[in-house]
Every structure is written in structure tokens, then in C-alpha cells.
Amino acid sequence: MRTIIIILAMAVSAAGADKFLGWQSCSTTGCHGGGSGDDQVLTWQKLDRHSRAYGTLISERSKRIADALKIAEPAKSAQCTVCHSPMESAAPERIAKNLKAPNHGVSCEACHGPAENYLRFHTRPDVTAAQRVAAGLRDLDSSHARANSCVGCHGNIGAELLTAGHPTLRFELARQLVEMPPHWKDFDQQQSAQAWLVSQAVLLRELCWQAAKNPGTARRIEALHWILRESADGAAHLPPTVEPGPLRTSADTLAKAASAVKWNTAKTRAQFDRTAALASQVKDAAAFSRAEALVPALRALTLGLGKDAAAKAKTQLIALDLAIRSPATFDAQKFAGAVADLASVVATRP
Ligand code: HEC
Ligand code: HEC
Ligand code: HEC
């Protein structure tokens, strides 16, 4: 738990000691509050689970998790707010004085950076992208930067929270960027494979940092190392052995390099075939973690093949999700069958 708080504290302090102004400061009509401008605030408030993440902490389910952990009020405990409502656990001097309204949930600045120094001028046409970034507006343009902004909350959760009934976290950017109600211009879906590769390399880096304190990460590290080495781009960067120290550096090198590679349908198709063939290396229930790493890869590659392929393969993708629901019910043979079904549905027909 402590590790996670430290990682997030680092993310929150990335822009020095800039203050948080709250989502209300973004919501003016003509800015991001609709009207003649954009409507990011409305999308977030109405559709995005991030705006309800604080509400989750006052639910019955949270109470049960909190009881098991002997936390009196989850909505007031940093063990929960660090991800569900980070402004609640930010140091008081980081919150703007005139911010009276509560800033519950995962609000704009949790992803875009504290606004104190960029709010006034980030829309001016004479201001360069570099100047905006220097003022604390996080650059989320590259896959690497995006993955870094999500992984702190989505990558991993302490074993004690899982035992207490918290849902397992699965981090894979191609899927999560599709599932998060978009408040941005369309991403190029052909780059889904890149989003997968970069986010899994970033996740591997984070799990390696936690390896010493959290032995539960070992099997996920092994599985990610395996699947990334089997991908054409990963083999060039990752060492053959699983040693968290060197691996975490090379995982980040891979993430950065992969973030610069442009994908096209032919490259995605080749990677899909290569990845589907890996199902033969999932021989029994002991290889469950590998199956867990394969499914998001296949999903992202299917997305990368285009909207048609993804629509055609809907049922097969659900079957794969069901196949990895629990290690207790995992059946390697059925799993291989489900992968073959997906491959035949998305195969190009003459
Ligand atoms: C400050 C922590 C935090 C950050 C940063 C963050 N999230 Fe989340 N996210 C959450 C929490 C907490 C929930 C669960 C909200 C709920 O239902 O209570 C969530 C839920 C989601 C969901 C819906 C559930 C799921 O996992 O499918 C998606 C999709 C998602 N986030 C995508 C992203 C993406 C993409 C990024 C990075 C661009 C990101 N998040 C950054 C904390 C965060
Ligand atoms: C490391 C970040 C993190 C921490 C710490 C954390 N959560 Fe979560 N929580 C998430 C994310 C991300 C999700 C969304 C998971 C998904 O749907 O895939 C989530 C989902 C949940 C859900 C299910 C919400 C739903 O509607 O499905 C509950 C309940 C919950 N969290 C309660 C808690 C409580 C209580 C605590 C503190 C004891 C806590 N969480 C601590 C990140 C975190
Ligand atoms: C969970 C993380 C997250 C949260 C919360 C979030 N954003 Fe974003 N936002 C993103 C990502 C990722 C992008 C895409 C970045 C890119 O392509 O450069 C983005 C893009 C944007 C853009 C650029 C749109 C475009 O098409 O160029 C604006 C403006 C924006 N966000 C405003 C907001 C506002 C206002 C809020 C709060 C109401 C908010 N965001 C909350 C992650 C987030």
C-alpha cells in the first residue's frame, strides 16, 4: 500500500508544488463546459466513472472492503482516496485557497496536471506546446505519456486490498481508452497495438519496482516478460532473464521506443498471428498468468485491425474474457479453442 501512495505522491508532485484549482475552474462556458467551447466537463460528469469514483467509496461494497481492513471511513482514508479521489489526500498547501467546493473523484487535474500556472494562458495561440508543459500541463500526446498517467492508479493494488474484496485491476491502454468515454478527438485505432505494447511495458516497469515488497507480482512479471519478449518489438529490448532490477530499466526503454513506432494493418496482422500462436505455450492451469497476458494483447490487436474486425469478433472476445475469469475454472484446452475461434473470425478472407 505504502508503495502505491509513494508512486502517486510522486505523480502528483511531478509539476513541482503547483496548486490544484479544481475542475470548476475548467468548466466555464466557452472553455471546457460546453456552450460555444468544448464539453469535456459534461462528458466527465455525466458519463465517466472517474467523476463517480468518490461516490464508490460511500457504497455498501466499499464499506465491506473497509470493514475487512479496519478502516472506519473509506472516503476519508488515504488508502482509498489516493486513487478514488486524490485531491482528498493531497497536501493542504497544494489546494488553491479559494477552492471551496469539494473536488471529489478523479478530476481533470489528476490526469492533466495541477492548473495553477497554466490555467490563464494555455489556450493562447502564441503559447507553444513546450511552454504549456513547462507550466505543468501534462503532455498526454504520446502513448508513453498516457500510459504513465494511468498506471499509478490502474496498474496494481496491494494484496491486502484484494483479500478484502477489492476488484482485481487490469491495465491495458488500448481497451481502456476505448472504454473511457472520450472527451478528445478520435485516436487512430490502427495504433491500438502500440497502446497495448507501451502500456504493458510501463506496467512491467511498475511491477518490477514493487517486486521486492510485493511477492504477489512475480507471476505477472513473468507473464509480461514472456509476452513482450515474444512480440517483435520487445525481443530487441528485454533481457532473457527475469531480474526486476535490470528488467525495470529495459522495460521503460522498450516503452519509450515502442511509443515512437507507427503501426499499420500489415504489422498488426503479423503480430496478431504471432500472438495467437502463443496459445500453444499455455499448456495447463499453471500457465494461467500467461493466458491473462494473452487476452488483452489479442483484444488490442483485434482493435488495431479496425472497427469492422472488432465488431465481428465481439462474441469471441467475450468468450476469451470469460475463459480467464478465475484460475480455479481455467481450462487450457478450451482457452486454446477460444483463441483459434477469434483467429478464424478476424482472418482475412479472399
Ligand atoms: C488518480 C487515479 C486515476 C488515474 C490517474 C486514472 N484513473 Fe481510471 N479509474 C480510477 C478509479 C478509482 C476508477 C474506478 C471508478 C469507480 O467506478 O469508482 C477508474 C475507472 C476507469 C475506467 C472504468 C473501469 C475500467 O477499468 O475499465 C476506465 C476505462 C479508466 N479508469 C481509464 C483510465 C485511463 C485511460 C487513464 C489514463 C489516461 C486513467 N483511467 C487514469 C482512477 C484513476
Ligand atoms: C491503486 C488504486 C486504488 C486504490 C488504492 C483503491 N482503489 Fe478501488 N478501484 C480502483 C480502480 C482502478 C477501480 C476500477 C476497477 C475496474 O472496474 O476495473 C476500482 C474499483 C473499486 C470498486 C468497484 C466499483 C464498481 O462500481 O465496480 C470499489 C467498491 C472500490 N474500488 C473501493 C475501494 C476502497 C474501499 C478502497 C480503499 C480501501 C479502494 N477502492 C482503493 C483503484 C483503486
Ligand atoms: C482519467 C484521465 C483524464 C481525466 C480525468 C481527464 N482527462 Fe482530459 N484527456 C485525457 C487524455 C488521455 C486525453 C487525450 C490526450 C491527447 O490525445 O493528447 C485528454 C484530452 C483532453 C483535451 C484535449 C481534447 C482534444 O481533442 O484535443 C481536453 C481539452 C481535456 N482533456 C480536458 C479535460 C477536462 C476539462 C477534464 C475534467 C472535466 C479532463 N480532461 C479530465 C485524460 C483525462
Side-chain angles (χ1 to χ4, degrees):
M1 188 62 235
R2 187 149 296 264
T3 13
I4 293 169
I5 293 181
I6 291 167
I7 292 169
L8 285 169
M10 286 184 332
V12 165
S13 67
D18 294 359
K19 286 186 170 54
F20 293 97
L21 307 184
W23 62 264
Q24 294 86 347
S25 64
C26 321
S27 70
T28 330
T29 316
C31 294
H32 303 302
S36 56
D38 290 328
D39 60 358
Q40 283 86 5
V41 174
L42 290 177
T43 305
W44 176 77
Q45 279 180 321
K46 294 219 163 100
L47 305 171
D48 196 319
R49 275 177 58 186
H50 290 114
S51 69
R52 295 174 217 154
Y54 177 86
T56 297
L57 296 182
I58 26 194
S59 67
E60 260 316 298
R61 187 166 175 196
S62 283
K63 195 172 163 0
R64 283 198 300 274
I65 298 172
D67 283 350
L69 293 162
K70 304 199 165 50
I71 293 172
E73 272 186 84
K76 290 202 175 127
S77 163
Q79 281 200 62
C80 310
T81 57
V82 67
C83 294
H84 281 262
S85 197
M87 275 223 231
E88 242 86 18
S89 36
E93 66 271 18
R94 298 289 309 281
I95 308 284
K97 278 209 182 60
N98 57 355
L99 178 70
K100 295 217 176 61
N103 246 261
H104 293 330
V106 179
S107 56
C108 322
E109 292 164 288
C111 294
H112 290 285
E116 180 179 25
N117 291 319
Y118 68 75
L119 182 72
R120 296 268 163 255
F121 78 88
H122 71 289
T123 53
R124 252 168 44 192
D126 59 319
V127 171
T128 64
Q131 283 173 313
R132 286 195 285 268
V133 171
L137 182 64
R138 213 175 277 159
D139 173 16
L140 295 176
D141 276 349
S142 77
S143 282
H144 187 245
R146 264 180 232 148
N148 280 338
S149 75
C150 323
V151 73
C153 297
H154 283 275
N156 196 26
I157 191 152
E160 68 279 33
L161 269 85
L162 288 176
T163 314
H166 193 281
T168 315
L169 300 189
R170 294 207 165 121
F171 178 56
E172 196 285 295
L173 208 52
R175 177 180 194 163
Q176 269 156 330
L177 284 172
V178 171
E179 287 180 356
M180 191 176 148
H183 60 263
W184 47 73
K185 290 174 215 93
D186 257 0
F187 291 126
D188 173 6
Q189 199 170 332
Q190 278 200 78
Q191 305 311 313
S192 294
Q194 182 199 59
W196 167 76
L197 184 56
V198 172
S199 59
Q200 301 314 281
V202 162
L203 177 58
L204 177 57
R205 180 196 74 203
E206 290 307 309
L207 294 176
C208 286
W209 274 105
Q210 295 167 30
K213 285 194 183 142
N214 192 346
T217 55
R219 58 175 197 88
R220 291 175 72 197
I221 291 175
E222 192 279 331
L224 283 173
H225 174 259
W226 166 71
I227 199 163
L228 290 170
R229 288 256 313 163
E230 293 294 340
S231 105
D233 302 70
H237 293 284
L238 300 182
T241 52
V242 185
E243 276 174 69
L247 193 51
R248 96 188 155 215
T249 314
S250 44
D252 198 51
T253 310
L254 165 62
K256 279 197 193 120
S259 194
V261 175
K262 279 259 171 225
W263 287 66
N264 55 35
T265 313
K267 183 166 159 66
T268 303
R269 162 75 51 199
Q271 182 67 32
F272 182 96
D273 293 344
R274 195 177 166 137
T275 307
L278 292 176
S280 66
Q281 293 183 33
V282 182
K283 292 208 171 63
D284 50 34
F288 179 71
S289 303
R290 290 187 168 190
E292 272 188 312
L294 257 177
V295 171
L298 290 168
R299 172 184 295 276
L301 289 160
T302 305
L303 287 173
L305 288 171
K307 290 202 166 84
D308 289 351
K312 253 196 325 197
K314 225 171 160 178
T315 321
Q316 287 71 20
L317 288 170
I318 292 173
L320 279 174
D321 275 342
L322 290 175
I324 54 160
R325 240 163 92 165
S326 123
T329 56
F330 181 71
D331 178 330
Q333 233 176 337
K334 271 198 198 145
F335 176 71
V339 173
D341 284 349
L342 174 69
S344 70
V345 171
V346 301
T348 23
R349 293 202 181 82

